[in-house]
Amino acid sequence: MVTLDHLRATYFEEAAELLERAYAELAALSEGRAGEDTVHALFRAYHSIKGGGGAFGFTRPVGLAHVMETLLDLVREDRITVAPDLLALLLRGTDMLADLLAAERDGVAATPGVEAGILDALESAAKIDHIAREQAAPVQAAAAIADGWRIEFRPHPGLFRSANEPLHILRELAGLGPVEVVADPSRLPGINRIDPEEAYLSWTVTLRAAVARAQVQDVFEFVIDDCDLSIDALDDATEPAATMAERPVATPTAEPAPPDIAAAPNASPLAQSVRVDVAKIDRLVNLVGELVITQAMLAQHEATLPPDLCPGLTRGLETLSQHLRELQDGVMAIRTQPVRTVFSRMPRLVREVAGMLGKDVRLVVTGEGTEIDKTVVEQLADPLTHLLRNALDHGIEPPDAREALGKPRQGIIQLSAEQRGGRIIIEITDDGRGIDRARVLARARERGLVSAEATLSESEIDELIFLPGFSTAETVSAVSGRGVGMDVVRRNIEALGGRIRLESRLGHGSRFTLTLPLTLAVLDGLVVSVGRDAYILPIAAIVESLRPRREDVRDVVGHGQVIAIRGSYVPLVPLHTRFGVAGAVNDYTRGIVVIVETDHSGQIGLLVDDLVGQQQVVVKSLEANWRRVDGIGGATILGDGRVALILDVAGLAALPAVAIPAAPPRAHLHLH
């Protein structure tokens, strides 16, 4: 049963999407990327927010949206130009609209009169053309009320999908006065081709009543974007519209000929969508994960049978595996969403913080359509907020300082996202002052984070900013200085199975690169054996595998061993020494070295006993089922029912060797 609370929740979801669209269109205007429909799309966003909010009695956001809609209507009529000051005003208005809607959503009363200033500014901007309006007033007044109106109402095919009903609209017109309604069924297809979810009829309505045009327009307020509409005043010379009985009506044949697709450009099906509760999607993802595990178990048992015993079973399992992969890809696609939902909040943050700091900064956003697992998206907001505030406060210089350095007064911060293989790469780049490594090192020594005798490389100095409590700010402000932020960023990103990397040039700026998994639910992995244990290496991290020769391995004093590969040396990490696995291969010439790529340490070689095979695995949280383990990113269930740990290859490089017990205890772990 659909309740009012359900409808309210749906409205707020749609309003959030409309606000994202509004911010995107405003960004297009500010960056000179506006197209013919940009202003119209912006107008429709505010109009839809107003229309839906009015149904729930959200007076304050509706009032603000109405004023912004009025202002944009003047822009559409070329009576106002979108100058930078007007664009800034629209951005402020959109920010305020977002705040008012958030207050209504959370059931919290917004501060009384908080929107008064922006309302005054918007109304003032709308009166810029008051002279033109006063000159046109007599003409408008004459046309405002007429003895009657001729209305042509042609719904778009998807009208019903926006929960509108033409019959209600016609009845509302009849409430204004006597009407003559003529239906046009010419778009009706044959009965066997009718889609009950599409609108086919259109109407011509003659309203014979002295009412204002605005009253007629209000009837169509909620369908204005879903129809073709014309409203013309009747006069004495206007021929009365024929009644339904007087006008010949084209009757469609029972079996019309199929239309010529090439001659019907509007015949393409409309994109359709349906809102689904997130809990239902998560349940579906979990069920598909269980199917993947069951399929792996069946394949494990089938492998023990003689090949000619049951060939039909083998073929069936192969087909099942293929269909299951397609099903899984489809379900994962449902679970993903564009990073736009997070990126759209960042321009406002940059504007507000830059204003607080007295800096002129432009945010350039690209790749906002990149899709990523919804769980990852939901947890990106805080890290991105910290990184952008850091770039604004520590990176971008004040306008006068930039000018003195020969830079443009306006600083640039770039926020981008892209998919590379099985990972999502998000970059935050600024053209500010960069990292002053001498100052960072000095501050770390002052706080006892680094010993006075320590000699650090540039990358090791950069890593200091991620230490808890570290800050180079001289004073504590509302933006920074308390040493809380960058360590939280790293912890949050690593909790998502991702990594963060910093690159910087003094005087030229910095770049933070976030590498995140495409999905947290499933991954393609390589099963490797170490002693009696099995581990999973993410396929996306693997470069190659090889069996090393004795002469390829070298000892490095204080740094363990390295392996020579095509003229370069890669650190060698025996996996059994990192997890204390007994009974593993100690002789690297009898084991397999898997070369993997890490974000911080470059390539490393993992020594394992053997390669078992590639397998798609369902990721289970080890922390939720047991506890956090360094070097482990999760767990899964193999086809034989054993629990296998999924390796965090980036964390393995820094993991120290541990003592190997003679008889290691076998822990029992149940994953849910």
Side-chain angles (χ1 to χ4, degrees), residues 294-295 297-322:
T294 303
Q295 185 269 336
M297 290 181 176
L298 290 174
Q300 183 89 8
H301 291 305
E302 187 269 338
T304 63
L305 300 176
D308 56 347
L309 180 63
C310 192
L313 175 63
T314 302
R315 290 194 299 270
L317 285 174
E318 290 175 352
T319 303
L320 174 63
S321 177
Q322 179 181 350

Side-chain angles (χ1 to χ4, degrees), residues 213-342:
R213 176 189 292 272
Q215 291 178 266
V216 181
Q217 290 174 330
D218 287 346
V219 172
F220 298 92
E221 180 178 10
F222 295 110
V223 298
I224 193 67
D225 295 326
D226 295 312
C227 71
D228 296 324
L229 179 68
S230 66
I231 304 173
D232 300 309
L234 294 176
D235 54 40
D236 295 338
T238 302
E239 179 183 350
T243 63
M244 188 84 75
E246 295 170 341
R247 181 182 245 182
V249 176
T251 304
T253 61
E255 293 294 335
D260 183 358
I261 296 178
N266 296 326
S268 59
L270 296 175
Q272 300 184 25
S273 62
V274 61
R275 293 185 180 275
V276 180
D277 191 284
V278 171
K280 293 180 179 178
I281 296 177
D282 289 342
R283 174 64 176 159
L284 185 59
V285 169
N286 290 334
L287 287 174
V288 171
E290 295 303 320
L291 283 175
V292 170
I293 294 172
T294 303
Q295 185 269 336
M297 290 181 176
L298 290 174
Q300 183 89 8
H301 291 305
E302 187 269 338
T304 63
L305 300 176
D308 56 347
L309 180 63
C310 192
L313 175 63
T314 302
R315 290 194 299 270
L317 285 174
E318 290 175 352
T319 303
L320 174 63
S321 177
Q322 179 181 350
H323 291 334
L324 191 56
R325 169 62 72 110
E326 293 175 358
L327 174 62
Q328 186 173 298
D329 290 343
V331 171
M332 290 302 105
I334 295 174
R335 186 186 172 99
T336 61
Q337 64 184 68
V339 293
R340 180 184 297 109
T341 55
V342 175

Side-chain angles (χ1 to χ4, degrees), residues 19-305:
L19 284 171
E20 289 175 20
R21 187 184 308 166
Y23 280 123
E25 302 299 346
L26 289 169
L29 284 169
S30 65
E31 296 168 11
R33 298 184 286 105
E36 294 182 0
D37 193 51
T38 299
V39 174
H40 297 291
L42 198 54
F43 175 89
R44 289 193 295 269
Y46 297 131
H47 178 81
S48 299
I49 289 173
K50 182 187 81 170
F56 294 102
F58 299 151
T59 308
R60 294 173 67 181
V62 165
L64 178 56
H66 176 72
V67 175
M68 297 179 71
E69 177 189 59
T70 302
L71 187 60
L72 282 167
D73 204 23
L74 296 174
V75 174
R76 293 200 303 177
E77 296 173 0
D78 293 327
R79 295 159 69 181
I80 291 181
T81 303
V82 184
D85 55 343
L86 181 62
L87 189 59
L89 190 58
L90 288 170
L91 281 167
R92 288 176 52 208
T94 307
D95 291 344
M96 181 57 65
L97 183 59
D99 289 343
L100 294 176
L101 286 170
E104 296 287 359
R105 181 197 62 213
D106 299 336
V108 179
T111 304
V114 69
E115 73 273 25
I118 189 66
L119 277 171
D120 290 343
L122 289 166
E123 290 172 350
S124 176
K127 293 175 183 176
I128 291 174
D129 66 335
H130 67 280
I131 297 176
R133 282 192 294 171
E134 289 173 359
Q135 291 174 345
V139 177
Q140 293 172 356
I145 298 179
D147 293 334
W149 301 93
R150 171 73 57 80
I151 302 115
E152 298 282 348
F153 174 40
R154 185 183 180 89
H156 294 163
L159 178 78
F160 295 143
R161 299 188 193 102
S162 57
N164 287 296
E165 170 55 64
L167 182 60
H168 295 164
I169 294 171
L170 297 177
R171 286 174 177 169
E172 195 169 348
L173 283 174
L176 298 177
V179 294
E180 298 167 358
V181 183
V182 178
D184 179 6
S186 60
R187 292 191 298 171
L188 272 174
I191 192 167
N192 62 330
R193 297 173 60 84
I194 287 180
D195 183 345
E197 295 186 356
E198 290 202 2
Y200 297 103
L201 297 177
S202 57
W203 292 268
T204 298
V205 181
T206 303
L207 172 62
R208 299 192 179 279
V211 297
R213 176 189 292 272
Q215 291 178 266
V216 181
Q217 290 174 330
D218 287 346
V219 172
F220 298 92
E221 180 178 10
F222 295 110
V223 298
I224 193 67
D225 295 326
D226 295 312
C227 71
D228 296 324
L229 179 68
S230 66
I231 304 173
D232 300 309
L234 294 176
D235 54 40
D236 295 338
T238 302
E239 179 183 350
T243 63
M244 188 84 75
E246 295 170 341
R247 181 182 245 182
V249 176
T251 304
T253 61
E255 293 294 335
D260 183 358
I261 296 178
N266 296 326
S268 59
L270 296 175
Q272 300 184 25
S273 62
V274 61
R275 293 185 180 275
V276 180
D277 191 284
V278 171
K280 293 180 179 178
I281 296 177
D282 289 342
R283 174 64 176 159
L284 185 59
V285 169
N286 290 334
L287 287 174
V288 171
E290 295 303 320
L291 283 175
V292 170
I293 294 172
T294 303
Q295 185 269 336
M297 290 181 176
L298 290 174
Q300 183 89 8
H301 291 305
E302 187 269 338
T304 63
L305 300 176

Side-chain angles (χ1 to χ4, degrees), residues 591-633:
I592 300 291
V593 173
V594 182
I595 307 299
V596 295
E597 188 78 43
T598 70
D599 294 321
H600 297 298
S601 307
Q603 292 184 352
I604 61 173
L606 299 178
L607 176 63
V608 301
D609 291 8
D610 201 2
L611 308 182
V612 178
Q614 182 177 342
Q615 183 176 326
Q616 193 174 49
V617 298
V618 179
V619 181
K620 302 287 186 178
S621 171
L622 190 62
E623 191 168 354
N625 288 281
W626 188 37
R627 63 178 175 83
R628 178 181 175 83
V629 178
D630 292 334
I632 300 297

